[in-house]
Amino acid sequence: MATYRRAHAPGATYFFTVVTHSRQPLLADQLNINALGRAFRRVRHERPFVMDAFVLLPDHLHCLWVLPEGDTDYSSRWRDIKKYASHEFQRPSKSSGAWQRGFWEHVIRDEHDWQRHMDYIHYNPVKHGWAKAPRDWEWSSFHQCVEKGWYESDWGSQRIPDVAEMNWE
């Protein structure tokens, strides 16, 4: 069996996918969403990073982070986010974990790669059938990105094949 080696690029931008244990719909519960938000804020206060984009779906999330210059430690940030959120999560059985072990990461290589991942994040609720357009999904940074002028508010209302066909989960 091959040993997986994580990418470590100091100060880089990373795309992440994090999945709930057994794909439980834990992130469909408002109390769990609030707990996750508190966990993110706590970790960002303890060890800062910038979150360019995010989307929460019932059983997984995607986000883009920019780490501070010289910093490669996203793993302990994810460990703590998962730990802090899990302590507060409402779930059927506390005996099973809230999260799948680990997470998936990708180092963003350039502006084009960043845009593809931004689009993927914001189109994800449409891809999974949770919304007809990105603007219809509440748990996404799409609305903030529209305010920044990065997207038109009707972006993604029509199917976007190159984004819709990507599968990073």
Side-chain angles (χ1 to χ4, degrees), residues 2-31:
T3 302
Y4 178 73
R5 295 181 49 142
R6 293 219 175 266
H8 294 284
T13 301
Y14 294 89
F15 168 83
F16 297 102
T17 299
V18 180
V19 181
T20 61
H21 180 21
S22 300
R23 291 239 179 218
Q24 299 171 80
L26 297 176
L27 302 177
D29 182 310
Q30 185 63 50
L31 294 174

Side-chain angles (χ1 to χ4, degrees), residues 17 49 160:
T17 299
F49 63 93
I160 303 172

Side-chain angles (χ1 to χ4, degrees), residues 64-84:
L64 274 176
W65 290 4
V66 181
L67 293 183
E69 189 173 328
D71 192 341
T72 62
D73 189 15
Y74 52 79
S75 289
S76 66
R77 285 174 171 91
W78 275 118
R79 179 198 63 223
D80 289 347
I81 289 167
K82 288 177 169 185
K83 177 178 67 177
Y84 297 151

